[in-house]
Every structure is written in structure tokens, then in C-alpha cells.
Amino acid sequence: METISIQQKKKKNKGPVIFAAVVALTVIALILIFSLNGSRFTSGHGRKGTSDDYPPINVSGKYVGEIFVNGVISEQSESIFSDSLTYQHGRTLDAIDQMIADSNNKGLYIFVNSPGGSVSTSDELYLKIKEYKDKTRRPVVAYFDNMAASGGYYISAIADKIIANRNCWTGSIGVTIGNMYDVTGLLEKMGIKAKAITSGPNKAMGDPLSGLTEEQEEIFRGLVDEAYEQFVGIVAEGRHMDVELVKKLADGRIYTARQGMENHLIDDIMTEEEADKYVLDMIGEKGVTIQDIKFKTEKGLFKSLYDLIDEKRKSGDSLENLAREIIAGEGKFSISYLAPIDNH
């Protein structure tokens, strides 16, 4: 009869424990991500690595490269429930660089299904698309699927042609820092006091434990206003519209495809199949095909958390410390071109 040691039993029973920890930490992470992600301010650049870090796009013959901007425009938008990624920033920028240098490339086709994203990442993608257009003089077409709002519209404004699905929601031209939470009243009722030791009165501004002063609110307003003016200028330039006219449209509201067309935010309404045909007709060369530029999927959020927890366990570190790391990592503020609603 096989003898199973107590140690082996403990090892076999750690699966449910780790799974429970994954679920608990996922809930914590999701609450923090959804409550604070729209309220994070970061100053770093989005792109990491160089073209040597990514494999060449495998395309033969003359082609139009179709890139996919699915989900939030950020460093890395992971799927929660599957081992897949939506928009991948570094790889997308690198793919555009490769198309710029490829004489077989005849155009850039941007498939957009996004509520927007961070200011810096959206702007970096916009600038890369602009670089493609300026250097190659090849056509750029954007197709709006379910939603192309805020940063999703921002990155598309420079396209030669914007086509939308008839059920698409677009617009949301504006900027947000998200909700600023003030829990000082709650802490006072609970008899809890919190004090941040900082080098200046505004160093901890936005901290929910400290509240927000009028001066700090004005500072945040300045950040939003500057990003807003940049957004409006890009739309005005890309759509050949007067800045003041754009500002009348840019109050943050969502437009239907029909309303977007009436307000000159999009050029036409088509199905995806009709848009594909339009792009090829626009190129006007025989033998040109549309090639999807997609990337190998990576680990989803649950798998990543599971691996991280398992790594912490093996190293002897506590899950409590991991939870603290997650909380510390999410307690930041970010200025975003992000629509808070989705079109399903």
C-alpha cells in the first residue's frame, strides 16, 4: 500500500488554498483597478523595448496592414478570464515601424473597438500613426466597430478616412482623472487618524486619507485642461475643423455613428466587409491584400496571479505582503482619455 506523508498531503491540498487566494486577490485587484485606474497620474513613457525585442511581422506580397486597437489603450490590456491580450502597445508600435520600412506595405488599416485609455499611451500611438502617414504618404483608414470613444477616437483622428459600424458609439472627446475619494469623514467616525509626512503641502494630493484642498483641485484641473486642449487640437487638425467648432462637440458626450457623421467626426457608415472592400479599392493596386497584424497571446490575469502567488509561497513570502504590493501599486493617479461606459 502506498504511504503518503503528511508533507505530501499538505502539498496536494495547497491547490484549493492557492485558488482561494487567487480569487481573493483578484477581487482586491479588480476593485482597486476599476475604482482607481481612472484616477492615476503617471509621468513615464508607455513604450518598452526596441524593435529587436519583437519578431518581424510575417507578411508576403503587397498588403495593407490591419492593426487592432481592442480594449483599453494602455501598456498591456489583459483579458481577465482567458490567456489572451487585447491591445498590446509595444508590439503595435513596433509593427507600425516595420510597415514604415516595408515597401510591400501599401496602407495602414486601424480596427478600433476601445473606450480609450491613458493620455500618454494614446498619444504615443497617435504619434506613431502620424509618423507612418508623414513618412510613407500611404493611406490610413480607421474602422470603428462597437465603440471608438475618447482615446479610441483620439488615435483615429488623423486617418484619411474614418468609417463606422452603424451601431458604433464614438466621440466622448474629453479628459478625466476619475473619482477623487475623500474618506476622512468615515475615518473620523471610526476614530481613525491618518497623517502623511510630505516635503510639501501638495505632495500627497489626491490621497483619499487626506482629502482635497481647493488649491489641489485647481492643480488637477490644470492637468485636465491642458490634455483637453491637446485632444481638441488633434481632432481639429485631423478632421480639418475649426477648434471652436470641435469644442462645441467636445463636452464628453457619446455620439451614435449617425450623429458622428452629421457632426463630421466620421466619414461613412459601413459594415466591416464593406469597409474592407473600400480600403482595397482605395489602394487601387492589383494583388494587394489586407493582412491582420496580430500577436501571440500571453497569460491572462487569473493565470498571472496564480503564478505570482505560487512564487511568493515558494519563496516563503506571505500573501499579506502580496496584497499590500497590489494595493500600493494601484494607489496612484492617472489622467485618461477614457469613456466610462461601454456599448454592448
Side-chain angles (χ1 to χ4, degrees):
M1 180 181 295
E2 181 184 3
T3 301
I4 301 178
S5 68
I6 294 175
Q7 184 177 4
Q8 287 176 319
K9 282 186 177 180
K10 286 184 177 179
K11 185 175 182 180
K12 288 193 175 185
N13 288 333
K14 282 182 178 177
V17 174
I18 292 176
F19 177 77
V22 168
V23 173
L25 286 171
T26 300
V27 170
I28 294 171
L30 290 177
I31 290 172
L32 289 164
I33 288 168
F34 284 110
S35 65
L36 296 176
N37 191 49
S39 314
R40 183 183 314 167
F41 184 80
T42 54
S43 59
H45 293 288
R47 193 176 187 188
K48 294 179 180 179
T50 65
S51 59
D52 294 335
D53 296 325
Y54 304 111
I57 54 178
N58 187 18
V59 179
S60 60
K62 296 184 291 184
Y63 69 98
V64 174
E66 183 172 13
I67 61 171
F68 293 83
V69 184
N70 286 317
V72 177
I73 304 170
S74 63
E75 279 286 324
Q76 191 177 71
S77 302
E78 282 195 86
S79 168
I80 296 173
F81 298 106
S82 63
D83 288 349
S84 65
L85 286 167
T86 50
Y87 175 70
Q88 296 184 51
H89 189 57
R91 292 186 177 188
T92 301
L93 298 185
D94 183 77
I96 296 174
D97 276 335
Q98 291 188 47
M99 285 188 274
I100 289 173
D102 188 355
S103 60
N104 280 329
N105 172 261
K106 301 301 177 182
L108 179 60
Y109 191 18
I110 312 164
F111 181 95
V112 184
N113 185 22
S114 172
S118 73
V119 166
S120 59
T121 312
S122 299
D123 189 54
E124 197 165 25
L125 177 57
Y126 162 80
L127 290 173
K128 182 55 64 178
I129 294 170
K130 185 176 187 298
E131 179 185 349
Y132 172 93
K133 188 174 178 180
D134 291 343
K135 285 185 175 180
T136 68
R137 302 298 176 182
R138 301 167 197 156
V140 176
V141 176
Y143 181 76
F144 292 172
D145 185 43
N146 188 53
M147 171 173 274
S150 205
Y153 190 84
Y154 183 102
I155 61 104
S156 308
I158 197 172
D160 298 298
K161 189 87 168 181
I162 296 178
I163 304 169
N165 179 285
R166 67 178 184 175
N167 296 307
C168 175
W169 287 357
T170 189
S172 189
I173 300 171
V175 187
T176 181
I177 295 184
N179 295 314
M180 292 290 183
Y181 295 96
D182 183 350
V183 298
T184 53
L186 176 62
L187 294 179
E188 185 177 347
K189 288 181 179 179
M190 297 174 66
I192 300 173
K193 294 182 179 180
K195 187 174 182 62
I197 307 301
T198 65
S199 59
N202 295 317
K203 181 60 180 174
M205 67 179 192
D207 181 355
L209 303 181
S210 303
L212 197 65
T213 67
E214 290 184 7
E215 180 185 16
Q216 290 167 355
E217 187 172 343
E218 285 301 311
I219 292 171
F220 277 123
R221 171 60 59 188
L223 300 176
V224 168
D225 288 347
E226 184 171 324
Y228 174 77
E229 292 293 335
Q230 178 174 284
F231 198 160
V232 167
I234 280 173
V235 174
E237 179 183 3
R239 300 300 296 167
H240 308 291
M241 297 169 66
D242 182 74
V243 168
E244 294 306 314
L245 176 58
V246 174
K247 285 187 176 181
K248 290 180 180 179
L249 302 173
D251 60 2
R253 75 181 65 186
I254 293 287
Y255 295 96
T256 66
R258 183 65 60 186
Q259 291 168 343
M261 192 168 174
E262 290 171 355
N263 287 293
H264 309 291
L265 295 176
I266 67 172
D267 297 301
D268 213 336
I269 297 173
M270 299 182 188
T271 65
E272 187 179 353
E273 184 179 352
E274 290 170 339
D276 289 352
K277 184 178 184 302
Y278 174 87
V279 169
L280 292 177
D281 290 343
M282 184 181 186
I283 301 301
E285 289 187 36
K286 290 184 179 180
V288 176
T289 59
I290 294 174
Q291 295 291 325
D292 296 347
I293 310 300
K294 294 183 176 179
F295 313 107
K296 183 180 179 181
T297 58
E298 297 180 12
K299 293 187 293 185
L301 178 58
F302 278 128
K303 176 61 175 172
S304 298
L305 279 173
Y306 187 96
D307 290 346
L308 185 57
I309 290 170
D310 196 37
E311 180 183 337
K312 288 287 183 181
R313 178 183 62 80
K314 289 177 180 177
S315 67
D317 201 355
S318 68
L319 296 182
E320 182 183 356
N321 286 339
L322 176 57
R324 286 175 177 169
E325 288 176 16
I326 293 174
I327 292 170
E330 290 302 326
K332 303 173 185 175
F333 289 88
S334 171
I335 188 166
S336 303
Y337 298 132
L338 187 65
I341 59 176
D342 197 2
N343 177 20
H344 293 292

